[in-house]
Amino acid sequence: MNIAIIDENRARASIIEEGLAGIEGDIHVITGREGLLAKIEQIAPDIVLIDLGNPSRDVLEEYFAVSRALARPIAMFVDESDDDAIAASIDAGVSAYVVDGLAAGRIRPLLDLAVKRFNAFARLQADLAEAKGKLAERETIDRAKRILMDSKRITEPEAYAELRRKAMSSSRRIIDIAEAVVTAHDLLGGS
């Protein structure tokens, strides 16, 4: 596992490193904020652990911007928090937002939690994208059926059977035929 630790305070970063003892892989400590995203992209970590101590609102926003740009599990450690910071961390894609929890013995379980929450959220996003895609396909097929029903004066089951028959005879998917019907209809000035 390739892990990036981001902490401007080297002493606090060493607490995280201690908590990661025994984990196979590379641990990279980044102590400066300058060029942070480029440094992280160069490391290409599997997970990012950010310790901010007691950050200002501007520092939090800067790290949240970095979080949004990464598609990786992120655990963020802070000394104190408020509801706005927690909500902003969720929006930024932080997998674990830990308040007053920087202790070597807690690092490993929190790392596991961040990875599992990130994976669960990624699965939900994939499921949502798939559902949206299927809904869009269904809407296109329904529109193609309406076009066939209006132009050929046939029933809905007959329109679907025609789409299916054409898909089978041309070894294509029904959605491909439906998209062709809708495109042709639009090109010919249909409404």
Side-chain angles (χ1 to χ4, degrees):
M1 184 178 287
N2 198 13
I3 301 171
I5 299 171
I6 302 169
D7 197 331
E8 293 179 16
N9 182 320
R10 186 69 177 114
R12 284 191 324 231
S14 67
I15 295 171
I16 296 175
E17 284 182 289
E18 181 184 330
L20 296 173
I23 290 181
E24 289 188 32
D26 296 323
I27 297 173
H28 306 272
V29 178
I30 302 171
T31 56
R33 291 191 334 231
E34 190 171 319
L36 181 60
L37 193 54
K39 290 176 186 175
I40 293 172
E41 287 175 348
Q42 182 180 13
I43 294 169
D46 298 308
I47 186 166
V48 178
L49 304 175
I50 303 173
D51 181 23
L52 297 177
N54 195 7
S56 69
R57 177 70 54 200
D58 291 341
V59 170
L60 267 178
E61 279 303 316
E62 184 179 338
Y63 280 104
F64 290 155
V66 169
S67 298
R68 284 183 200 96
L70 298 174
R72 293 172 181 84
I74 298 170
M76 187 173 284
F77 298 88
V78 296
D79 291 341
E80 296 176 14
S81 182
D82 59 55
D83 291 341
D84 292 339
I86 292 170
S89 72
I90 291 168
D91 291 343
V94 173
S95 305
Y97 186 84
V98 184
V99 179
D100 195 25
L102 185 60
R106 294 186 67 196
I107 301 299
R108 199 79 186 258
L110 291 169
L111 177 103
D112 292 339
L113 170 70
V115 170
K116 288 177 181 170
R117 287 191 71 198
F118 176 82
N119 291 338
F121 188 70
R123 278 192 306 275
L124 285 174
Q125 285 182 313
D127 290 348
L128 178 60
E130 182 182 350
K132 284 182 177 180
K134 286 183 179 180
L135 180 60
E137 285 183 4
R138 184 80 249 151
E139 289 171 353
T140 300
I141 291 170
D142 286 346
R143 184 164 177 225
K145 286 191 301 187
R146 282 191 304 276
I147 291 168
L148 291 174
M149 289 164 55
D150 290 345
S151 66
K152 294 189 166 204
R153 306 276 189 239
I154 57 177
T155 66
E156 182 180 0
E158 290 170 328
Y160 185 77
E162 189 153 332
L163 289 171
R164 188 167 180 255
R165 196 171 24 258
K166 183 62 180 168
M168 291 175 71
S169 70
S170 61
S171 298
R172 294 172 59 197
R173 299 178 319 142
I174 290 177
I175 184 61
D176 297 333
I177 303 303
E179 287 172 346
V181 168
V182 169
T183 299
H185 183 260
D186 289 346
L187 283 172
L188 296 173
S191 52

